[in-house]
Amino acid sequence: MTHSRNAECIDAELNAGAVPPETDLRQTLLDLLVQHAYQEGNFTLSSGQSSSYYINGKVVTLHPEGALALGHLLLHRLPREVDAIAGLTLGADPIVSAVSIVSALQKRPIPGIIIRKQAKGHGTMAYLEGPSLPPNSTVVVVEDVVTTGQSALMAIERLRQAGYQANRVLAMVDRQQGGAEFYQQQGIEFESIFTIADLQAAYAARSGQS
């Protein structure tokens, strides 16, 4: 398993009870994305679009150092009044867990909700898995990679149908293929940690050194 210098610094700071600087967290996450998640070739995306590159976000969100860094970075971007975080299964599942766990470690416990694409076929027949919240609770949606924005919009619609306030999306990577503009049109706040330009620049720099 790759263990970068940045990751070692983060480990030391966490052991000392300190929150690592955002620059270190971002660099650790970027290194992992470039090393393990970003690929170039011919791909068909879940949106049906063709692409010359692919980002397998789950390779990083399920990586222990990636999950830790991402959990901290997203937690720092959550408004203080948030009641929960949520995401559409499967891509958002490890992100929801990472942020919720880090929030507890930071003495700011925030519950997580997993949103099914199809309602459960038994029991409660529910779309949402997780704690029940009071009506009008504020929930922020998290996503690994945003392309068109449709996946997170589905999550927001399910949350609103359940009686929650959902107007914000946080993502690990924005592919810059219309998602941000789509959210703006829908009146949804959107922020990503990285854009595809960030990943491609780091990938090119790394390839030039090899």
Side-chain angles (χ1 to χ4, degrees):
M1 179 183 294
T2 303
H3 196 80
S4 66
R5 282 186 68 183
N6 280 316
E8 291 172 356
C9 292
I10 289 173
D11 289 344
E13 288 162 341
L14 288 171
N15 289 335
V19 177
E22 173 149 334
T23 52
D24 290 349
L25 293 166
R26 279 177 56 86
Q27 191 60 54
T28 293
L29 190 59
L30 182 60
D31 289 345
L32 290 170
L33 283 165
V34 170
Q35 293 168 16
H36 303 296
Y38 180 83
Q39 305 172 54
E40 295 188 342
N42 296 313
F43 303 95
T44 300
L45 306 179
S46 59
S47 63
Q49 298 180 12
S50 297
S51 177
S52 60
Y53 66 89
Y54 180 66
I55 306 166
N56 186 356
K58 288 182 285 295
V59 175
V60 172
T61 60
L62 288 166
H63 187 290
E65 292 165 2
L68 182 61
L70 183 58
H72 277 288
L73 288 167
L74 292 178
L75 179 64
H76 295 167
R77 287 163 171 77
L78 289 176
R80 298 301 302 182
E81 66 275 12
V82 69
D83 297 304
I85 53 168
L88 191 69
T89 196
L90 176 69
D93 292 6
I95 305 176
V96 170
S97 295
V99 176
S100 187
I101 290 170
V102 169
S103 74
L105 293 173
Q106 295 299 311
K107 311 301 182 185
R108 184 191 167 191
I110 299 172
I113 297 172
I114 299 299
I115 303 168
R116 295 174 177 268
K117 295 179 181 177
Q118 301 292 331
K120 185 190 294 187
H122 60 279
T124 60
M125 310 292 285
Y127 279 106
L128 307 186
E129 295 290 350
S132 295
L133 305 173
N136 295 315
S137 293
T138 299
V139 184
V140 172
V141 170
V142 294
E143 183 72 283
D144 56 353
V145 180
V146 166
T147 304
T148 65
Q150 293 295 328
S151 293
L153 179 64
M154 181 185 295
I156 284 175
E157 290 174 344
R158 297 283 186 241
L159 290 165
R160 289 174 175 174
Q161 289 166 7
Y164 302 144
Q165 299 291 325
N167 299 292
R168 185 177 178 86
V169 175
L170 298 177
M172 181 170 62
V173 181
D174 177 9
R175 288 179 59 103
Q176 297 181 302
Q177 290 184 264
E181 293 78 9
F182 174 72
Y183 291 137
Q184 185 177 27
Q185 293 170 2
Q186 298 294 320
I188 297 168
E189 296 180 33
F190 173 65
E191 182 181 1
S192 67
I193 297 172
F194 300 110
T195 65
I196 185 57
D198 297 325
L199 267 65
Q200 290 178 331
Y203 182 83
R206 183 172 182 266
S207 299
Q209 293 173 357
S210 60

